[in-house]
């Protein structure tokens, strides 16, 4: 997986960024996820992030 920082837009002359996690296609297929699916995230013990 890769965490990417992408420029989303500019506001009052300053860039606003968003973060994107790139998950390998084979993992998406195993999970049965589809494009556009809303995911919920939970921080686990301040050390990890759980998506469901």
């Amino acid at each position: 997986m890769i965490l990417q920082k992408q420029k989303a837009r500019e506001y009052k002359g300053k860039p606003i960024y968003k973060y994107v996690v790139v998950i390998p296609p084979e993992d998406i297929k195993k999970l049965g996820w589809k494009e556009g699916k809303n995911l919920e995230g939970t921080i686990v013990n301040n050390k990890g992030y759980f998506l469901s």
Side-chain angles (χ1 to χ4, degrees):
M1 282 190 267
I2 300 170
L3 178 62
Q4 296 179 340
K5 182 179 178 181
Q6 297 179 346
K7 183 178 176 182
R9 62 184 182 280
E10 285 196 18
Y11 180 72
K12 295 185 179 180
K14 293 184 179 180
I16 304 295
Y17 295 97
K18 65 179 179 178
Y19 291 90
V20 177
V21 176
V22 179
I23 303 171
E26 57 272 8
D27 291 348
I28 299 294
K29 188 174 181 179
K30 287 177 187 176
L31 290 165
W33 291 356
K34 303 289 182 201
E35 296 87 4
K37 180 177 174 83
N38 286 328
L39 303 174
E40 292 186 26
T42 305
I43 297 172
V44 181
N45 298 328
N46 293 324
K47 294 186 179 193
Y49 200 73
F50 179 78
L51 289 174
S52 60

